Coordinates of all heavy atoms in Angstrom, one line a residue:
M1 N -41.5 37.5 -16.0 CA -41.2 38.2 -14.7 C -39.7 37.9 -14.2 O -39.5 36.6 -14.0 CB -42.1 37.9 -13.5 CG -43.6 38.2 -13.9 SD -43.8 40.1 -13.7 CE -45.5 40.2 -14.0
P2 N -38.9 38.7 -14.1 CA -37.5 38.4 -13.7 C -37.4 38.2 -12.2 O -37.9 39.1 -11.4 CB -36.7 39.6 -14.1 CG -37.7 40.8 -14.1 CD -39.0 40.2 -14.3
I3 N -36.9 37.1 -11.9 CA -36.7 36.8 -10.4 C -35.1 37.0 -10.2 O -34.4 36.2 -10.8 CB -37.2 35.4 -10.0 CG1 -38.6 35.4 -10.2 CG2 -36.7 35.1 -8.7 CD1 -39.3 34.0 -10.1
F4 N -34.8 37.8 -9.4 CA -33.3 38.0 -9.1 C -33.0 37.4 -7.6 O -33.9 37.5 -6.8 CB -32.9 39.4 -9.1 CG -33.0 40.0 -10.5 CD1 -33.8 40.9 -10.9 CD2 -32.2 39.5 -11.5 CE1 -34.0 41.4 -12.2 CE2 -32.3 39.9 -12.9 CZ -33.2 40.9 -13.2
E5 N -31.7 37.1 -7.4 CA -31.3 36.7 -6.1 C -30.4 37.8 -5.5 O -29.6 38.4 -6.3 CB -30.4 35.4 -6.3 CG -30.4 34.6 -4.9 CD -29.5 33.5 -5.1 OE1 -28.9 33.1 -6.1 OE2 -29.5 32.7 -4.0
Y6 N -30.8 38.1 -4.4 CA -30.1 39.2 -3.7 C -29.4 38.8 -2.4 O -29.8 37.8 -1.8 CB -31.1 40.2 -3.4 CG -31.7 41.1 -4.5 CD1 -32.9 40.6 -4.9 CD2 -31.1 42.2 -4.9 CE1 -33.3 41.4 -6.1 CE2 -31.7 43.0 -6.0 CZ -32.7 42.5 -6.6 OH -33.3 43.3 -7.7
S7 N -28.3 39.4 -2.1 CA -27.7 39.3 -0.8 C -27.8 40.6 -0.1 O -27.3 41.6 -0.8 CB -26.2 38.9 -1.2 OG -25.5 38.9 0.2
C8 N -28.2 40.6 1.1 CA -28.4 41.7 1.9 C -27.0 42.2 2.5 O -26.4 41.4 3.1 CB -29.3 41.5 3.1 SG -29.5 43.0 4.1
R9 N -26.6 43.4 2.2 CA -25.4 43.9 2.8 C -25.6 44.2 4.2 O -24.5 44.2 5.0 CB -25.0 45.3 2.1 CG -24.4 45.0 0.8 CD -23.6 46.1 0.2 NE -23.2 45.9 -1.2 CZ -23.8 46.4 -2.3 NH1 -24.8 47.2 -2.3 NH2 -23.3 46.2 -3.5
G10 N -26.7 44.4 4.8 CA -27.0 44.7 6.1 C -26.7 43.4 7.0 O -26.2 43.4 8.1
C11 N -27.4 42.3 6.5 CA -27.5 41.1 7.5 C -27.0 39.9 6.7 O -27.0 38.8 7.4 CB -28.9 40.9 8.1 SG -30.0 40.4 6.8
A12 N -26.5 40.0 5.5 CA -26.0 38.9 4.7 C -27.1 37.8 4.4 O -26.7 36.7 3.9 CB -24.7 38.3 5.4
H13 N -28.3 38.2 4.6 CA -29.3 37.2 4.2 C -29.5 37.3 2.7 O -29.4 38.2 2.0 CB -30.6 37.8 4.9 CG -31.8 36.8 4.5 ND1 -31.8 35.5 4.9 CD2 -33.0 37.0 4.0 CE1 -33.0 34.8 4.5 NE2 -33.7 35.9 3.9
Q14 N -29.6 36.0 2.2 CA -29.7 35.8 0.7 C -31.2 35.4 0.4 O -31.7 34.5 1.1 CB -28.8 34.8 0.1 CG -27.3 35.4 0.2 CD -26.3 34.5 -0.6 OE1 -26.7 33.5 -1.2 NE2 -25.2 34.8 -0.4
F15 N -31.7 36.1 -0.5 CA -33.2 35.6 -0.9 C -33.4 36.0 -2.4 O -32.6 36.6 -3.0 CB -34.1 36.5 -0.1 CG -33.9 37.9 -0.1 CD1 -34.7 38.7 -1.0 CD2 -32.8 38.6 0.6 CE1 -34.4 40.1 -1.2 CE2 -32.7 40.0 0.4 CZ -33.5 40.7 -0.4
E16 N -34.4 35.4 -2.9 CA -34.8 35.5 -4.2 C -36.1 36.5 -4.3 O -36.9 36.4 -3.4 CB -35.2 34.2 -4.9 CG -34.0 33.5 -5.3 CD -34.4 32.0 -5.8 OE1 -35.6 31.8 -6.0 OE2 -33.5 31.3 -6.3
M17 N -36.1 37.4 -5.3 CA -37.3 38.3 -5.2 C -37.7 38.5 -6.6 O -36.9 38.8 -7.5 CB -36.9 39.6 -4.6 CG -38.0 40.6 -4.3 SD -37.6 41.8 -3.2 CE -38.0 41.0 -1.6
L18 N -39.0 38.6 -6.8 CA -39.5 38.9 -8.1 C -39.5 40.4 -8.2 O -39.9 41.2 -7.4 CB -41.0 38.5 -8.2 CG -41.8 38.7 -9.4 CD1 -41.3 37.9 -10.5 CD2 -43.3 38.5 -9.2
V19 N -38.8 41.0 -9.3 CA -38.6 42.3 -9.3 C -39.6 43.1 -10.2 O -39.7 42.7 -11.4 CB -37.2 42.6 -9.8 CG1 -36.9 44.2 -9.9 CG2 -36.1 42.1 -8.9
L20 N -40.4 43.9 -9.7 CA -41.3 44.7 -10.4 C -40.8 46.1 -10.5 O -40.2 46.6 -9.5 CB -42.7 44.6 -9.8 CG -43.4 43.2 -9.5 CD1 -44.5 43.4 -8.7 CD2 -43.6 42.7 -11.0
P21 N -41.1 46.8 -11.6 CA -40.6 48.2 -11.7 C -41.1 49.1 -10.6 O -40.5 50.2 -10.3 CB -41.0 48.6 -13.2 CG -41.8 47.5 -13.7 CD -41.8 46.4 -12.8
T22 N -42.2 48.8 -10.0 CA -42.8 49.7 -9.0 C -42.5 49.3 -7.6 O -42.8 50.0 -6.6 CB -44.4 49.5 -9.0 OG1 -44.7 48.0 -9.1 CG2 -45.1 50.1 -10.4
I23 N -41.7 48.2 -7.5 CA -41.3 47.9 -6.1 C -39.7 47.9 -6.1 O -39.1 47.4 -6.9 CB -41.7 46.4 -5.8 CG1 -43.3 46.4 -5.8 CG2 -41.2 45.9 -4.6 CD1 -43.8 45.1 -5.8
T24 N -39.3 48.5 -4.9 CA -37.9 48.6 -4.7 C -37.6 47.3 -3.8 O -38.3 47.2 -2.8 CB -37.5 49.9 -3.9 OG1 -37.9 50.9 -4.7 CG2 -35.9 49.9 -3.7
P25 N -36.7 46.4 -4.1 CA -36.5 45.3 -3.4 C -35.8 45.6 -2.1 O -35.0 46.4 -1.9 CB -35.5 44.4 -4.2 CG -34.9 45.4 -5.1 CD -35.9 46.5 -5.4
A26 N -36.3 44.9 -1.0 CA -35.9 45.2 0.4 C -35.7 43.8 1.0 O -36.2 42.8 0.6 CB -36.9 45.9 1.1
C27 N -34.7 43.7 1.8 CA -34.5 42.4 2.6 C -35.7 42.0 3.4 O -36.1 42.9 4.2 CB -33.2 42.5 3.5 SG -32.8 41.2 4.6
P28 N -36.2 40.8 3.3 CA -37.3 40.4 4.1 C -36.9 40.2 5.5 O -37.9 40.1 6.5 CB -37.7 39.0 3.5 CG -36.5 38.6 2.7 CD -35.6 39.7 2.4
K29 N -35.6 40.2 5.9 CA -35.3 39.9 7.3 C -35.1 41.2 8.0 O -35.7 41.4 9.1 CB -33.9 39.1 7.3 CG -34.0 37.8 8.0 CD -32.7 37.1 8.0 CE -32.6 36.1 9.1 NZ -31.3 35.5 9.1
C30 N -34.5 42.2 7.5 CA -34.1 43.4 8.1 C -34.6 44.6 7.3 O -34.3 45.7 7.9 CB -32.7 43.6 8.3 SG -31.6 43.9 7.0
A31 N -35.3 44.4 6.2 CA -35.9 45.5 5.5 C -35.0 46.5 4.9 O -35.4 47.6 4.5 CB -37.1 46.2 6.4
S32 N -33.7 46.2 4.9 CA -32.7 46.9 4.4 C -32.9 47.0 2.8 O -33.1 45.9 2.2 CB -31.3 46.5 4.7 OG -30.3 47.2 3.9
Q33 N -32.6 48.1 2.3 CA -32.7 48.2 0.7 C -31.2 48.2 0.1 O -31.1 48.5 -1.0 CB -33.5 49.4 0.2 CG -34.9 49.2 0.7 CD -35.8 50.4 0.0 OE1 -35.3 51.4 -0.5 NE2 -37.1 50.3 0.3
D34 N -30.2 47.9 1.0 CA -28.8 48.0 0.6 C -28.5 46.5 0.2 O -28.0 45.7 1.0 CB -27.9 48.4 1.7 CG -26.4 48.6 1.3 OD1 -26.3 48.6 0.0 OD2 -25.6 48.8 2.1
L35 N -28.8 46.2 -1.1 CA -28.9 44.8 -1.6 C -27.8 44.7 -2.6 O -27.7 45.7 -3.4 CB -30.2 44.3 -2.1 CG -31.4 44.6 -1.0 CD1 -32.7 44.2 -1.7 CD2 -31.2 43.7 0.2
E36 N -27.3 43.5 -2.8 CA -26.3 43.2 -3.9 C -27.1 42.2 -4.7 O -27.5 41.0 -4.2 CB -25.0 42.7 -3.3 CG -24.1 42.4 -4.4 CD -22.7 41.9 -3.9 OE1 -22.6 41.7 -2.5 OE2 -21.8 41.6 -4.7
R37 N -27.2 42.4 -6.0 CA -27.8 41.5 -6.9 C -26.9 40.5 -7.2 O -25.8 40.7 -7.8 CB -28.4 42.1 -8.1 CG -29.6 41.4 -8.6 CD -30.3 42.3 -9.7 NE -29.6 42.0 -11.0 CZ -30.0 42.5 -12.1 NH1 -30.8 43.6 -12.1 NH2 -29.3 42.4 -13.2
L38 N -27.3 39.2 -7.0 CA -26.3 38.0 -7.4 C -26.7 37.5 -8.7 O -27.9 37.7 -9.4 CB -26.5 36.9 -6.3 CG -26.3 37.3 -4.9 CD1 -26.5 36.1 -4.0 CD2 -24.9 37.8 -4.7
I39 N -25.9 36.8 -9.4 CA -26.2 36.2 -10.6 C -27.2 35.1 -10.5 O -27.1 34.3 -9.4 CB -24.9 35.5 -11.2 CG1 -23.8 36.6 -11.5 CG2 -25.1 34.8 -12.5 CD1 -22.4 36.1 -11.6
S40 N -28.2 35.1 -11.2 CA -29.2 34.2 -10.9 C -28.9 32.8 -11.1 O -28.1 32.5 -12.1 CB -30.5 34.6 -11.7 OG -30.3 34.2 -13.1
L41 N -29.3 31.9 -10.4 CA -28.8 30.4 -10.3 C -29.2 29.8 -11.7 O -28.5 29.0 -12.2 CB -29.2 29.8 -9.1 CG -28.5 30.2 -7.8 CD1 -29.2 29.5 -6.7 CD2 -27.0 29.8 -7.9
P42 N -30.4 29.9 -12.1 CA -30.8 29.1 -13.3 C -30.0 29.5 -14.5 O -29.5 28.6 -15.2 CB -32.2 29.6 -13.6 CG -32.8 29.9 -12.2 CD -31.6 30.6 -11.7
A43 N -29.6 30.7 -14.7 CA -28.8 31.2 -15.9 C -27.4 30.6 -15.7 O -26.9 30.2 -16.6 CB -28.7 32.7 -15.8
L44 N -26.8 30.6 -14.5 CA -25.6 30.0 -14.3 C -25.5 28.4 -14.5 O -24.6 28.0 -15.2 CB -25.2 30.2 -12.7 CG -23.8 30.2 -12.3 CD1 -23.1 31.4 -12.9 CD2 -23.5 30.1 -10.8
K45 N -26.6 27.7 -14.1 CA -26.7 26.4 -14.5 C -26.7 26.1 -16.0 O -26.1 25.2 -16.5 CB -27.9 25.8 -13.8 CG -27.7 25.2 -12.4 CD -28.9 24.8 -11.8 CE -28.9 24.7 -10.3 NZ -30.2 24.7 -9.6
T46 N -27.5 26.9 -16.7 CA -27.5 26.8 -18.1 C -26.2 27.0 -18.8 O -25.9 26.2 -19.6 CB -28.6 27.8 -18.7 OG1 -29.8 27.7 -18.0 CG2 -28.9 27.6 -20.2
E47 N -25.6 28.0 -18.2 CA -24.2 28.4 -18.9 C -23.2 27.1 -18.6 O -22.6 26.7 -19.5 CB -23.7 29.6 -18.2 CG -22.5 30.3 -19.1 CD -22.1 31.5 -18.4 OE1 -23.0 32.4 -18.2 OE2 -20.9 31.6 -18.0
D48 N -23.3 26.6 -17.4 CA -22.5 25.4 -17.1 C -22.8 24.3 -18.0 O -21.8 23.6 -18.6 CB -22.7 25.0 -15.7 CG -21.8 25.6 -14.7 OD1 -21.0 26.5 -15.0 OD2 -21.8 25.2 -13.5
G49 N -24.1 24.0 -18.3 CA -24.4 22.8 -19.0 C -24.0 22.9 -20.5 O -23.6 22.1 -21.1
T50 N -24.1 24.3 -20.9 CA -23.7 24.5 -22.2 C -22.2 24.4 -22.5 O -21.8 23.7 -23.4 CB -24.1 26.1 -22.7 OG1 -25.4 26.2 -22.4 CG2 -23.8 26.3 -24.2
Q51 N -21.4 24.9 -21.5 CA -20.0 24.8 -21.5 C -19.6 23.3 -21.6 O -18.6 22.9 -22.1 CB -19.3 25.5 -20.5 CG -19.3 27.0 -20.7 CD -18.7 27.8 -19.7 OE1 -18.5 27.3 -18.6 NE2 -18.5 29.1 -19.9
R52 N -20.3 22.4 -20.6 CA -19.9 21.1 -20.6 C -20.2 20.3 -21.8 O -19.6 19.5 -22.2 CB -20.7 20.5 -19.4 CG -20.1 19.3 -18.8 CD -21.0 18.7 -17.6 NE -21.0 19.7 -16.6 CZ -22.0 20.1 -15.8 NH1 -23.2 19.5 -16.2 NH2 -22.0 21.0 -15.0
A53 N -21.5 20.7 -22.5 CA -21.8 20.2 -23.7 C -20.8 20.4 -24.8 O -20.5 19.5 -25.6 CB -23.2 20.6 -24.1
I54 N -20.3 21.7 -24.8 CA -19.3 22.0 -25.7 C -18.0 21.2 -25.6 O -17.4 20.7 -26.6 CB -19.0 23.5 -25.7 CG1 -20.1 24.3 -26.2 CG2 -17.7 23.9 -26.5 CD1 -20.2 25.9 -25.9
K55 N -17.5 21.0 -24.3 CA -16.4 20.2 -24.1 C -16.6 18.9 -24.4 O -15.6 18.1 -24.9 CB -16.0 20.4 -22.4 CG -15.2 21.6 -22.3 CD -14.8 21.6 -20.7 CE -14.3 23.0 -20.3 NZ -14.3 23.4 -18.9
Q56 N -17.8 18.4 -24.0 CA -18.0 16.9 -24.5 C -17.9 16.7 -26.0 O -17.4 15.7 -26.3 CB -19.3 16.4 -23.9 CG -19.3 16.1 -22.4 CD -20.5 15.8 -21.8 OE1 -21.7 15.9 -22.4 NE2 -20.6 15.4 -20.5
S57 N -18.5 17.6 -26.7 CA -18.5 17.5 -28.1 C -17.1 17.6 -28.7 O -16.7 17.0 -29.6 CB -19.6 18.3 -28.8 OG -19.1 19.8 -28.9
Q58 N -16.3 18.5 -28.1 CA -15.0 18.7 -28.6 C -14.1 17.4 -28.1 O -13.4 16.9 -29.1 CB -14.3 19.9 -27.8 CG -14.8 21.2 -28.4 CD -14.2 22.3 -27.6 OE1 -13.9 22.2 -26.5 NE2 -14.2 23.6 -28.2
A59 N -14.3 16.8 -27.1 CA -13.7 15.5 -26.7 C -14.1 14.5 -27.6 O -13.2 13.7 -28.0 CB -14.1 15.2 -25.3
R60 N -15.4 14.3 -28.0 CA -15.8 13.4 -29.0 C -15.1 13.5 -30.3 O -14.7 12.6 -30.9 CB -17.3 13.4 -29.1 CG -18.1 12.4 -28.1 CD -19.4 12.2 -28.6 NE -20.2 13.4 -28.7 CZ -20.9 13.9 -27.6 NH1 -20.9 13.4 -26.5 NH2 -21.6 15.0 -27.9
R61 N -15.2 14.7 -30.7 CA -14.4 15.1 -32.0 C -13.0 14.7 -31.9 O -12.5 14.1 -33.0 CB -14.5 16.6 -32.4 CG -15.9 16.8 -33.1 CD -15.7 18.1 -34.0 NE -15.3 19.3 -33.2 CZ -16.3 20.1 -32.7 NH1 -17.6 19.7 -32.8 NH2 -15.8 21.1 -31.9
M62 N -12.3 15.0 -30.9 CA -10.8 14.7 -30.7 C -10.6 13.1 -30.8 O -9.7 12.6 -31.4 CB -10.4 15.2 -29.4 CG -10.3 16.7 -29.3 SD -8.8 17.3 -30.1 CE -7.5 17.1 -28.7
K63 N -11.5 12.5 -30.0 CA -11.5 11.0 -30.0 C -11.7 10.3 -31.4 O -10.8 9.6 -31.9 CB -12.4 10.6 -29.0 CG -12.3 9.0 -28.7 CD -13.1 8.7 -27.5 CE -12.9 7.2 -27.1 NZ -13.7 6.2 -28.1
G64 N -12.6 10.9 -32.1 CA -12.9 10.4 -33.4 C -11.7 10.7 -34.4 O -11.4 9.8 -35.1
R65 N -11.1 11.8 -34.3 CA -10.0 12.1 -35.2 C -8.7 11.2 -34.8 O -8.2 10.7 -35.8 CB -9.6 13.6 -34.9 CG -8.9 14.2 -36.0 CD -8.5 15.7 -35.8 NE -9.7 16.5 -35.6 CZ -9.7 17.6 -34.9 NH1 -8.7 18.1 -34.2 NH2 -11.0 18.2 -34.7
T66 N -8.6 10.8 -33.5 CA -7.4 9.9 -33.2 C -7.7 8.6 -33.8 O -6.7 8.0 -34.4 CB -7.3 10.0 -31.6 OG1 -7.3 11.3 -31.1 CG2 -6.1 9.2 -31.2
E67 N -9.0 8.3 -33.7 CA -9.2 6.9 -34.2 C -9.0 6.8 -35.7 O -8.6 5.9 -36.3 CB -10.7 6.5 -33.9 CG -10.7 6.0 -32.4 CD -12.2 6.0 -31.9 OE1 -13.2 6.3 -32.6 OE2 -12.3 5.6 -30.8
E68 N -9.4 8.0 -36.4 CA -9.2 8.0 -37.8 C -7.7 7.9 -38.1 O -7.4 7.2 -39.1 CB -9.8 9.3 -38.4 CG -11.1 9.2 -38.9 CD -11.6 10.7 -39.3 OE1 -10.8 11.3 -39.9 OE2 -12.7 10.9 -39.0
I69 N -6.9 8.7 -37.4 CA -5.4 8.5 -37.6 C -4.9 7.2 -37.4 O -4.1 6.7 -38.3 CB -4.7 9.6 -36.8 CG1 -5.1 11.1 -37.2 CG2 -3.2 9.5 -36.9 CD1 -4.8 12.2 -36.2
V70 N -5.3 6.5 -36.3 CA -4.9 5.2 -36.0 C -5.3 4.2 -37.2 O -4.5 3.5 -37.6 CB -5.4 4.7 -34.7 CG1 -5.2 3.2 -34.4 CG2 -4.8 5.5 -33.5
A71 N -6.5 4.4 -37.6 CA -7.0 3.4 -38.6 C -6.3 3.7 -40.0 O -5.8 2.7 -40.7 CB -8.5 3.8 -39.0
Q72 N -5.9 5.0 -40.2 CA -5.1 5.3 -41.4 C -3.7 4.7 -41.3 O -3.2 4.2 -42.3 CB -5.1 6.8 -41.6 CG -4.3 7.4 -42.8 CD -4.9 7.1 -44.0 OE1 -6.2 7.0 -44.1 NE2 -4.2 6.9 -45.1
R73 N -3.2 4.7 -40.2 CA -1.9 4.2 -39.9 C -1.8 2.7 -40.1 O -0.9 2.3 -40.8 CB -1.2 4.6 -38.5 CG -0.8 6.0 -38.5 CD 0.2 6.2 -37.3 NE 0.4 7.7 -37.1 CZ 0.6 8.4 -36.0 NH1 0.3 7.8 -35.0 NH2 0.8 9.6 -36.1
E74 N -2.8 2.0 -39.6 CA -3.0 0.7 -39.5 C -3.1 0.2 -41.0 O -2.5 -0.8 -41.6 CB -4.1 0.2 -38.8 CG -3.7 -0.1 -37.3 CD -4.9 -0.5 -36.6 OE1 -6.1 -0.7 -37.0 OE2 -4.8 -0.6 -35.3
Y75 N -3.9 0.9 -41.8 CA -4.1 0.7 -43.3 C -2.8 0.9 -44.0 O -2.5 0.0 -44.8 CB -5.2 1.7 -43.9 CG -5.5 1.7 -45.3 CD1 -6.4 0.6 -45.7 CD2 -4.8 2.3 -46.3 CE1 -6.7 0.5 -47.1 CE2 -5.0 2.2 -47.5 CZ -6.0 1.2 -48.0 OH -6.1 1.1 -49.3
E76 N -2.1 1.9 -43.6 CA -0.8 2.1 -44.5 C 0.3 1.0 -44.2 O 1.0 0.6 -45.1 CB -0.2 3.5 -44.1 CG -0.9 4.7 -44.7 CD -0.5 5.9 -44.2 OE1 0.3 6.0 -43.1 OE2 -1.1 7.0 -44.5
L77 N 0.2 0.6 -42.9 CA 1.2 -0.6 -42.4 C 0.8 -1.8 -43.2 O 1.8 -2.6 -43.7 CB 1.1 -0.7 -41.0 CG 1.9 0.3 -40.1 CD1 1.5 0.1 -38.6 CD2 3.5 0.2 -40.3
K78 N -0.4 -2.1 -43.2 CA -0.9 -3.4 -43.9 C -0.6 -3.2 -45.4 O -0.5 -4.3 -46.2 CB -2.4 -3.6 -43.6 CG -2.6 -4.2 -42.2 CD -4.1 -4.4 -41.9 CE -4.2 -4.6 -40.4 NZ -5.6 -4.3 -39.9
H79 N -0.7 -2.1 -46.0 CA -0.6 -1.9 -47.5 C 0.8 -1.3 -47.9 O 0.8 -0.5 -48.8 CB -1.8 -1.2 -48.0 CG -3.0 -1.9 -47.8 ND1 -3.8 -1.8 -46.6 CD2 -3.8 -2.7 -48.6 CE1 -4.9 -2.6 -46.7 NE2 -5.0 -3.2 -47.9
D80 N 1.7 -1.6 -47.1 CA 3.1 -1.0 -47.4 C 3.8 -1.9 -48.5 O 4.7 -2.7 -48.0 CB 3.9 -0.8 -46.1 CG 5.1 -0.1 -46.4 OD1 5.3 0.7 -47.4 OD2 6.0 -0.1 -45.5
D81 N 3.5 -1.8 -49.7 CA 4.1 -2.6 -50.7 C 4.4 -2.0 -52.1 O 5.0 -1.1 -52.2 CB 3.5 -3.9 -50.9 CG 2.0 -3.8 -51.2 OD1 1.6 -2.7 -51.5 OD2 1.3 -4.8 -51.1
Ligands
LIG1 ZN1 -31.0 42.1 5.7

């Protein structure tokens, strides 16, 4: 069941509503059907978490690569003969 978040254009009230094909969503405060559908919060959170996870894994990879280069340079310096 899709739950959408709406913002009422009539009174600016924001609310979540379970949307059924048989029901036209209306503002629970002023009964207006002039509503703006907002991006649902759970979806937004998931996207944020995914992007953060990608950034963290990229940062880890970058760090690992830098350490490899440093180790390689140290090895070359010690074995420069
Ligand atoms: Zn309203």
Side-chain angles (χ1 to χ4, degrees):
M1 293 288 186
I3 297 173
F4 292 117
E5 201 179 4
Y6 288 93
S7 175
C8 175
R9 287 196 181 100
C11 69
H13 180 59
Q14 289 188 5
F15 57 96
E16 287 175 359
M17 188 165 275
L18 181 70
V19 177
L20 301 168
T22 49
I23 294 171
T24 305
C27 174
K29 242 183 161 183
C30 71
S32 169
Q33 292 183 358
D34 188 10
L35 308 171
E36 186 181 358
R37 206 171 87 187
L38 306 175
I39 299 161
S40 72
L41 289 174
L44 202 68
K45 272 177 194 161
T46 310
E47 201 178 300
D48 265 8
T50 309
Q51 282 175 353
R52 202 174 304 131
I54 289 166
K55 272 183 192 160
Q56 277 172 357
S57 78
Q58 281 174 343
R60 264 200 300 276
R61 271 206 301 274
M62 291 275 282
K63 192 169 178 284
R65 204 176 299 152
T66 308
E67 280 166 3
E68 264 176 43
I69 291 163
V70 168
Q72 180 68 28
R73 277 192 191 143
E74 277 176 3
Y75 178 86
E76 283 169 2
L77 282 170
K78 280 172 190 165
H79 297 82
D80 186 23
D81 53 14

